[in-house]
Amino acid sequence: MTDDTTWLDATAQADLVRRGDITPSELVAAAVERIEKLNPELNAVIHRQFDQAVKAARSQAVGKGPFPGVPLLLKDILAHEAGQPYHCGMRVLKDANWVEPSDSWLVERFRAAGFITLGRTNTPEMASTVTTESFAYGPTSNPWDPTRSAGGSSGGSAAAVASGMVAVAHGNDMGGSIRVPAANCGLVGLKPTRARTTLGPDFGEYFGPTTHQHVLTRSVRDSAAVLDAIAGPGVGDPFTALPSARAWAAECGVEPGRLRIGYRTALPDGAQPDPEVVTAVEATARLLEALGHDVSAVELQPLDEPTLGEAIPIAFSAWIARDLERWGQRLGRPIAPDELEPMNGFLAEMGGAITSVQYQAALEALQAWSRRMAAVWAGGVDIVVLPVTPTPPVLLGEMAPDAKDPFGLITDLVRMVTFTMPFNVTGQPAVSLPVHATASGLPVGVQLVGASHREDVLIRVASQLEQARPWAHRHPPQA
């Protein structure tokens, strides 16, 4: 975008369009220019729809939503468009030149909000890990340091927003896939309450109860306003979240009152994360205390139980196996596990051997564990502050699909999602905020977790932190 609009958030861009100070065509042209300039190094955008976007920008329809003509990028999984490639990071779909025949309902909602899609962003194969380095499309680099990972599985979207290609990009979160790349790239990454947005028409659930859809942004107000635009059940959805009392965008800047806030840094084995991560969490706790909240360490005992470590591998491998089978049905031929990257192939084979009884037992264990975790909030805590990941952004290659044997990669992955996966299981809303940076300038996000259905509380506190410790002025050197 032009120097005047590159670092404006989507709300500000939309306001310019409404005032007639800029046209959707100009916004699209500027975003295209940024992508063409930066993408060769970052590899964030893997499918381009520039001609279609230019035509859409000239349409009168873009003026009807809250984000008229604002450019958007879609993660290449769980947000498909009719006539566009859709590969989910899988070589087998790339080789088949797979194109989706229809829109997902979320894409329809983005379009109704006025967004104009410019293309699709890179993601790891089957969105199954926290770094974006698939065999199909290669690694996405972190704009703050191209030798580092942008995170995953919404890594392409995060790199695109952090580098100024667009102000907002779609993401989804099955175990940390919005929050991890947001933390790695210095963004706001809100995972809403489970079922706050629809997975229709394809799914009622995806990867069991763990999948949540939303966006990555540079401002809290953008995250809140986009949620206003896309939230709500689809026809026939099996579950829905409780409605909000008012628009989430209206919560920005609202005094949250004196809240009870807990914090924790320790991993389940008693070890501490990287010192920069500990510093980030503890500094945020002190800032919240200075802002008038009651802040204290919290045990969060369910995090130390073995339940997740026992049940998630059973459930996760079954979900990978089912995804492989479903894509084989769509392609019209079976897909062998060895057509996947090694870790996913290993999980698919493992999942194929799991019985229905074992799978149901794992789900019941996760549901019981979720009640124990949610009891922490029901027992008198409004928000818990946690790390997002135990380390700052990892070097590219450290967790690449061929970096280790599958079991070694799974071990690393489990550790990386220690603080994020639990809240995919419980379905609670959680947000990563870019409140800290290392001495070398790498972003380190801090996670705030709220009670189920209480995005309003999270947004108020996130907005309070954004005002107290602004981050809008921080931009990657590569951008």
Side-chain angles (χ1 to χ4, degrees):
M1 298 180 189
T2 67
D3 290 341
D4 292 333
T5 61
T6 295
W7 300 112
L8 293 180
D9 67 3
T11 300
Q13 291 181 18
D15 287 343
L16 288 177
V17 172
R18 275 189 288 269
R19 293 201 305 264
D21 294 336
I22 199 168
T23 67
S25 294
E26 289 171 321
L27 283 178
V28 166
V32 167
E33 182 179 352
R34 291 283 292 178
I35 293 170
E36 290 179 333
K37 175 185 175 182
L38 298 173
N39 202 59
E41 180 177 27
L42 297 179
N43 192 33
V45 181
I46 56 172
H47 303 304
R48 301 182 179 193
Q49 303 169 211
F50 294 166
D51 290 345
Q52 178 179 313
V54 168
K55 291 178 182 177
R58 296 171 181 158
S59 168
Q60 295 299 314
V62 297
K64 296 180 180 179
F67 295 97
V70 174
L72 173 77
L73 289 164
L74 297 173
K75 180 181 178 181
D76 197 28
I77 188 166
L78 292 181
H80 51 74
E81 286 184 285
Q84 296 299 329
Y86 183 65
H87 298 159
C88 306
M90 298 171 67
R91 288 174 296 178
V92 65
L93 297 183
K94 180 183 180 183
D95 292 346
N97 294 314
W98 183 264
V99 171
E100 275 295 314
S102 62
D103 292 337
S104 67
W105 288 348
L106 185 62
V107 164
E108 292 177 354
R109 292 181 182 187
F110 282 133
R111 192 176 297 127
F115 286 112
I116 295 176
T117 304
L118 298 184
R120 309 187 66 76
T121 60
N122 204 1
T123 184
E125 185 179 75
M126 304 173 88
S128 63
T129 189
V130 293
T131 183
T132 301
E133 303 181 54
S134 74
F135 286 166
Y137 284 101
T140 294
S141 294
N142 192 316
W144 294 88
D145 178 352
T147 69
R148 303 261 172 186
S149 172
S153 60
S154 306
S157 289
V161 175
S163 65
M165 293 181 187
V166 292
V168 60
H170 162 252
N172 36 55
D173 195 313
M174 295 86 158
S177 291
I178 287 175
R179 289 160 290 161
V180 171
N184 281 10
C185 292
L187 302 174
V188 177
L190 171 65
K191 179 194 77 65
T193 296
R194 180 163 49 232
R196 181 66 72 192
T197 55
T198 184
L199 292 164
D202 302 319
F203 304 104
E205 288 186 332
Y206 183 79
F207 279 30
T210 65
T211 298
H212 304 62
Q213 300 246 61
H214 194 34
V215 292
L216 294 99
T217 66
R218 294 194 292 263
S219 67
V220 174
R221 70 176 185 173
D222 270 5
S223 189
V226 174
L227 192 59
D228 284 324
I230 65 173
V235 174
D237 278 359
F239 317 106
T240 187
L242 296 176
S244 61
R246 59 180 174 177
W248 286 293
E251 303 294 350
C252 294
V254 171
E255 170 59 44
R258 190 176 183 89
L259 300 180
R260 297 157 297 180
I261 296 177
Y263 71 94
R264 168 176 167 155
T265 59
L267 290 146
D269 62 6
Q272 288 290 332
D274 183 278
E276 292 279 10
V277 173
V278 174
T279 296
V281 172
E282 292 181 345
T284 302
R286 290 194 299 271
L287 176 57
L288 287 166
E289 188 171 41
L291 291 169
H293 301 291
D294 292 322
V295 180
S296 61
V298 64
E299 186 176 349
L300 213 63
Q301 187 274 331
L303 197 63
D304 301 323
E305 297 179 15
T307 306
L308 288 188
E310 295 167 351
I312 284 292
I314 294 171
F316 198 84
S317 60
W319 298 331
I320 292 288
R322 169 54 189 152
D323 219 22
L324 188 63
E325 179 187 59
R326 181 174 58 81
W327 275 115
Q329 291 168 345
R330 298 196 74 191
L331 284 174
R333 69 165 183 87
I335 303 173
D338 64 7
E339 294 182 76
L340 299 178
E341 294 169 359
M343 185 186 78
N344 288 330
F346 175 83
L347 289 170
E349 289 187 320
M350 177 179 167
I354 289 169
T355 69
S356 59
V357 172
Q358 289 172 316
Y359 178 71
Q360 187 59 37
L363 288 186
E364 290 170 3
L366 293 175
Q367 290 163 355
W369 179 88
S370 292
R371 295 185 191 279
R372 296 194 292 277
M373 179 62 90
V376 173
W377 282 258
V381 174
D382 296 302
I383 285 177
V384 173
V385 182
L386 296 165
V388 179
T389 59
T391 69
V394 300
L395 288 167
L396 286 171
E398 283 189 10
M399 294 184 66
D402 55 359
K404 296 181 180 179
D405 64 87
F407 189 77
L409 285 175
I410 291 169
T411 300
D412 289 348
L413 175 59
V414 168
R415 184 175 177 85
M416 288 295 284
V417 299
T418 293
F419 298 108
T420 53
M421 185 77 195
F423 307 106
N424 294 83
V425 174
T426 66
Q428 293 170 247
V431 62
S432 176
L433 298 175
V435 293
H436 183 71
T438 69
S440 63
L442 284 176
V444 177
V446 171
Q447 180 178 205
L448 277 60
V449 184
S452 288
H453 312 286
R454 296 311 305 266
E455 286 94 335
D456 57 342
V457 175
L458 274 188
I459 290 168
R460 290 173 200 163
V461 176
S463 178
Q464 187 180 41
L465 287 171
E466 186 177 32
Q467 292 176 41
R469 187 167 292 166
W471 54 74
H473 62 285
R474 298 205 302 261
H475 306 140
Q478 278 72 27

